[in-house]
Amino acid sequence: MKTLDRYILRSFVVNYIFAMTILIGLYVVLDLFVNLDEFTNQPTSGVLQTIERIVDFYGHNLFMYFAQLSGVISVVAACFTLGRLHSSNELTAILSAGASLYRVATPILLAGLAMNCLWFVDQEYIIPNIAQKLARNHGDLEGTKTFPVFFLPDRANGNALLSAARFNPTAMQMRSVVVLKRDENNRMTEVIQADQARWDPERGTWHLENGFATTLAAGDISEDLAALGHRRIEDYKSSLTPREMALQQSAQWTQYLSLKELNKLQSYFSAAGVAEFVRMKHARLTTVFMNMTLLCVGIPFFLNRERPPLIVLGGKALLAGGLCYAAMFLCNTVEITTFNIDPALPPWLPFIVFAPLAVILLEGIKT
């Protein structure tokens, strides 16, 4: 590693920490401004208790915010680094010494790739381990509120669906439980009912109170639903743990799962569900490529032998990077079930469009 590399890397790391603090801090401030009343409107809402709730909530969500903003943070850090070199005439000195502008960009690109490794560790290892904390809402950090659950797919029992009138995540209990077991043709084969179910963590089962299992007649259920068997049942083994049930109450719960968990879930859903899982997995894979594409689209504007105003360079970089980020966001969130396309294609479309643009911009650097 040359002196120039160490100098640029040190500047990039400092600017990266600076940009991460500003962007994530802005994210937290805006979210707190909108949801502050939910932290304060609690039975014990003293100043210390409110501060503890805020620290607890955002302390865990910082990892999610970093995963969402990592690509933008790298671009901002790179632009700050090159902008300072540009404004202090250090790029002129580097060119006078016979070094290429590509030589200046190389340590920044390598540093951006290293920061993608941090994103991977965060997304695949840290976030899945704190997923239940991330799925909490602002007004119920302790998980004391109960809520109904309807037709959650139970993967341990084939095609079964679980519902409950009330579920308490903290007490790990359900009331008025109904489980509908179905065959491969989605016809009911058995119904399990219980007044209450309590999770047994040692055995990994739900202990049922006043639980009964009713086996239904085989064949066309439209003709006859006569019960062939009605027996008492005390335990129900299920893949739906209290943690997973609480997690699925979040609209974005699949974003908290690792690729390994997404692969495991994919086999339990219908064709439409599988298509969504395929898209999510490819979106996860393309994030690394798109973060580097963002970086390659943004930095060429600052690698300039001339000295245009920094605000002009920043505006061009912001426009190009903004278009790239917007395309990535839209392709990863738009509904694909209404379009007859391969679900793996939308996550790759921004890369297919903007990667050639990045190559053109880098190739156009006059060094």
Side-chain angles (χ1 to χ4, degrees), residues 290 293-294 297 318-329 350-351 354-355:
M290 286 307 302
T293 301
L294 273 172
V297 167
L318 178 63
L319 177 61
L323 290 175
C324 183
Y325 190 82
M328 181 174 61
F329 176 79
F351 179 72
F354 285 93

Side-chain angles (χ1 to χ4, degrees), residues 121-327:
V121 172
D122 180 42
Q123 181 67 66
E124 295 297 315
Y125 296 98
I126 298 178
I127 289 178
N129 288 327
I130 60 173
Q132 191 171 359
K133 297 286 187 179
L134 299 176
R136 300 176 300 177
N137 60 55
H138 301 78
D140 186 29
L141 300 187
E142 295 81 9
T144 57
K145 294 182 180 179
T146 62
F147 48 84
V149 292
F150 300 106
F151 305 112
L152 294 181
D154 184 4
R155 301 182 299 277
N157 293 280
N159 209 15
L161 299 172
L162 184 145
S163 300
R166 285 287 179 271
F167 169 59
N168 189 321
T170 303
M172 297 188 293
Q173 292 182 345
M174 295 186 290
R175 294 186 179 275
S176 301
V177 182
V178 177
V179 179
L180 306 177
K181 288 190 174 183
R182 304 177 296 170
D183 60 17
E184 62 276 5
N185 296 318
N186 292 327
R187 294 179 300 185
M188 286 192 299
T189 59
E190 188 177 50
V191 177
I192 297 176
Q193 295 175 290
D195 294 337
Q196 183 171 303
R198 185 181 68 256
W199 178 252
D200 186 345
E202 295 182 357
R203 300 173 58 193
T205 61
W206 289 97
H207 180 70
L208 306 180
E209 292 186 9
N210 195 25
F212 289 91
T214 302
T215 303
L216 302 179
D220 187 358
I221 61 172
S222 63
E223 298 178 359
D224 185 17
L225 287 176
L228 296 181
H230 188 71
R231 67 187 188 281
R232 182 177 292 275
I233 181 173
E234 296 183 354
D235 294 294
Y236 175 67
K237 191 171 183 61
S238 170
S239 64
L240 291 170
T241 65
R243 173 187 177 276
E244 184 167 341
M245 293 177 64
L247 180 61
Q248 292 191 28
Q249 300 310 303
S250 171
Q252 300 176 331
W253 69 279
T254 51
Q255 296 183 12
Y256 309 139
L257 304 179
S258 65
L259 279 173
K260 182 179 179 180
E261 291 171 321
L262 288 175
N263 282 325
K264 186 177 179 181
L265 283 174
Q266 181 178 332
S267 60
Y268 298 105
F269 285 82
S270 62
V274 168
E276 288 298 323
F277 275 100
V278 169
R279 186 181 68 169
M280 284 186 288
K281 291 192 298 180
H282 281 269
R284 192 73 57 82
L285 294 173
T286 56
T287 299
V288 175
F289 296 99
M290 286 307 302
N291 286 347
M292 293 303 298
T293 301
L294 273 172
L295 193 57
C296 293
V297 167
I299 64 175
F301 297 100
F302 290 88
L303 297 172
N304 197 321
R305 293 183 304 179
E306 303 174 358
R307 296 196 59 194
L310 285 179
I311 190 170
V312 174
L313 300 178
K316 292 179 179 179
L318 178 63
L319 177 61
L323 290 175
C324 183
Y325 190 82

